[in-house]
């Protein structure tokens, strides 16, 4: 094992990363780094540091991820590894995005994209357009985000980066869902599912399946929605992804509410809320509170529903979720005026 090359070790790390096995993947990147130091292979050193940085960001260990990405950037710039440096900038921007430092994230993504275009690096162009699209999505600029995601897909077609293509089909599906273009959302998500299955990216596949449920529910195809949630849940359990699991339970609650099974709806939403609280998933927590408010309103528990919706609204405000803030403000206004039903919007 100790005689393996850094290239062999990091190839194994990449496979573990794609399977969502983040702890062993991080360990493999660290071993790849140590081996690359022995080999005096500077590009491999930079690649190993950047790989571990990606994993630490996925684990939510943002300070460690930032230190590693900064080290990769310094190694890359000092040794004229221009592609490696551009990729390190992209990770640093993603870290700032996770911290909700949107102005800083946009500046770093833009610098990364400029470097990528100078290098004609279609892989990085695709990744960075994806991230800029996510920024636009956060700001509620869904049509702008859709253009960026489509540009990213064009770049990934040129580069053959199927995983990033699948991510962008997922993002396009989310955009179209936000724009209430349900059929288009399903088409994009279905294409993403096909690619994720082809490249065996199980965590991404779980997320795509989870996101496909909403347009199917909106279109009234509850049977297919239930089947896609079953698959998403199975994969998310393997990857220990609490965000997907909590959202799956929320969508199950929506299906039960729509079909009039209010007891099951309450059980699913209570389960989702517990998972979101345990994993400190703030956005999911607020979305689940909104879903519970809708359920309780339909059950005639109107004051309790308004109280829950106020909690959800405060959560969205703290996160700067503009679309959700506007929707819950409209709901609160209508409910306080005595509306008979919950307005359309979230599930």
């Amino acid at each position: 094992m100790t005689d393996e090359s850094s290239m062999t070790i990091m190839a194994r790390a990449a496979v573990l990363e794609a399977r969502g096995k983040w702890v062993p993947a991080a360990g493999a990147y660290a071993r790849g780094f140590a081996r690359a130091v022995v080999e005096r292979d500077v590009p491999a050193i930079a690649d190993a540091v950047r790989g571990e940085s990606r994993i630490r960001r996925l684990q939510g260990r943002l300070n460690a991820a930032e230190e590693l990405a900064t080290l990769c950037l310094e190694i890359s710039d000092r040794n004229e590894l221009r592609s490696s440096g551009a990729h390190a900038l992209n990770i640093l921007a993603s870290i700032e995005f996770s911290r909700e430092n949107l102005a800083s994230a946009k500046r770093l993504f833009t610098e990364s994209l400029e470097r990528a275009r100078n290098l004609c690096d279609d892989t990085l162009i695709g990744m960075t357009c994806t991230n800029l699209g996510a920024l636009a999505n956060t700001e509620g600029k869904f049509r702008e985000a859709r253009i960026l995601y489509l540009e990213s897909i064009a770049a990934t077609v040129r580069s053959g980066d199927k995983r990033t293509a699948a991510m962008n089909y997922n993002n396009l599906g989310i955009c179209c869902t936000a724009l209430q273009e349900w059929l288009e959302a399903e088409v994009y998500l279905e294409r993403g599912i096909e690619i994720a299955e082809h490249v065996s990216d199980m965590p991404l596949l779980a997320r795509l399946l989870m996101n496909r449920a909403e347009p199917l529910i909106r279109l009234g195809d509850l049977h297919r929605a239930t089947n896609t949630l079953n698959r998403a849940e199975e994969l998310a359990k393997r990857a220990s992804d609490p965000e997907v699991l909590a959202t799956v339970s929320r969508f199950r609650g929506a299906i039960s509410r729509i079909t009039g099974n209010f007891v099951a709806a309450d059980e699913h939403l209570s389960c989702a809320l517990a998972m979101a609280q345990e994993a400190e998933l703030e956005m999911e927590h607020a979305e689940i509170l909104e879903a519970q408010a809708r359920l309780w309103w339909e059950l005639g528990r109107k004051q309790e529903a308004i109280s829950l919706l106020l909690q959800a609204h405060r959560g969205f405000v703290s996160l700067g979720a503009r679309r959700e803030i506007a929707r819950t403000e409209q709901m609160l206004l209508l409910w306080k005026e005595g509306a008979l039903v919950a307005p359309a919007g979230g599930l």
Side-chain angles (χ1 to χ4, degrees):
M1 184 72 70
T2 55
D3 292 333
E4 287 182 314
S5 69
S6 59
M7 183 179 297
T8 300
I9 296 169
M10 287 194 290
R12 186 164 57 251
V15 171
L16 291 167
E17 181 181 357
R19 291 177 179 171
K21 299 183 181 295
W22 294 332
V23 172
Y29 279 122
R31 290 193 296 276
F33 168 79
R35 187 62 190 171
V37 170
V38 172
E39 295 168 352
R40 297 179 182 274
D41 187 337
V42 177
I45 290 171
D47 288 347
V49 172
R50 192 173 69 254
E52 187 176 353
S53 177
R54 281 196 307 271
I55 299 298
R56 298 308 181 197
R57 186 182 71 81
L58 290 169
Q59 291 176 317
R61 297 175 56 183
L62 299 184
N63 290 338
E66 182 180 28
E67 289 178 7
L68 289 161
T70 300
L71 175 59
C72 179
L73 181 60
E74 185 173 349
I75 293 169
S76 301
D77 286 350
R78 286 189 178 187
N79 293 277
E80 297 185 356
L81 302 172
R82 295 191 297 159
S83 178
S84 179
H87 281 267
L89 275 169
N90 190 70
I91 296 174
L92 285 168
S94 297
I95 292 166
E96 289 297 276
F97 187 31
S98 296
R99 290 171 171 161
E100 299 181 22
N101 297 331
L102 300 188
S104 177
K106 190 168 187 176
R107 175 181 59 79
L108 289 166
F109 280 136
T110 301
E111 184 179 350
S112 176
L113 182 58
E114 183 179 347
R115 291 193 186 198
R117 284 173 172 161
N118 289 336
L119 293 165
C120 298
D121 185 338
D122 283 322
T123 297
L124 186 55
I125 290 170
M127 289 171 58
T128 309
C129 283
T130 298
N131 291 322
L132 285 168
L135 268 172
N137 195 52
T138 300
E139 296 170 340
K141 301 174 181 177
F142 301 115
R143 297 191 186 281
E144 178 183 329
R146 182 162 57 181
I147 291 169
L148 284 160
Y149 293 141
L150 287 168
E151 182 181 350
S152 180
I153 287 174
T156 58
V157 167
R158 295 193 298 268
S159 68
D161 184 356
K162 292 183 178 180
R163 184 177 183 278
T164 301
M167 288 172 58
N168 277 295
Y169 280 114
N170 181 60
N171 294 333
L172 280 167
I174 293 170
C175 273
C176 291
T177 296
L179 292 166
Q180 300 185 13
E181 296 171 353
W182 314 123
L183 285 171
E184 190 173 350
E186 187 194 353
V187 169
Y188 284 135
L189 290 163
E190 182 62 35
R191 178 57 181 147
I193 288 166
E194 291 172 3
I195 298 171
E197 288 176 330
H198 180 71
V199 300
S200 299
D201 191 323
M202 297 302 105
L204 179 56
L205 178 57
R207 196 162 293 269
L208 281 153
L209 288 163
M210 171 195 76
N211 286 326
R212 185 174 64 172
E214 181 166 358
L216 289 172
I217 293 169
R218 301 289 192 175
L219 291 167
D221 196 341
L222 303 185
H223 178 71
R224 286 183 65 211
T226 299
N227 287 340
T228 201
L229 288 172
N230 290 341
R231 289 189 65 200
E233 183 176 45
E234 178 187 353
L235 293 170
K237 283 180 177 177
R238 291 187 204 170
S240 300
D241 190 330
E243 182 181 340
V244 172
L245 290 171
T247 304
V248 165
S249 288
R250 175 166 66 86
F251 285 151
R252 289 192 194 283
I255 291 171
S256 296
R257 176 173 56 80
I258 291 166
T259 57
N261 191 342
F262 297 125
V263 173
D266 191 42
E267 289 174 353
H268 287 307
L269 292 174
S270 295
C271 179
L273 192 65
M275 286 190 282
Q277 288 174 328
E278 182 178 356
E280 298 182 350
L281 302 169
E282 295 181 48
M283 186 66 175
E284 288 69 24
H285 184 264
E287 288 175 331
I288 296 160
L289 286 173
E290 180 188 346
Q292 281 190 318
R294 289 175 180 274
L295 173 63
W296 287 8
W297 185 266
E298 289 191 26
L299 291 172
R301 299 166 62 178
K302 297 190 174 183
Q303 288 305 313
E304 293 168 290
I306 290 172
S307 177
L308 277 176
L309 191 57
L310 282 167
Q311 292 180 53
H313 180 261
R314 285 195 293 270
F316 292 136
V317 169
S318 70
L319 294 165
R322 298 179 185 180
R323 178 169 61 110
E324 288 76 11
I325 292 168
R327 182 177 68 237
T328 50
E329 283 179 350
Q330 180 196 25
M331 288 173 65
L332 285 165
L333 180 63
L334 290 172
W335 281 2
K336 288 175 180 179
E337 290 179 349
L340 296 178
V341 296
L347 283 177

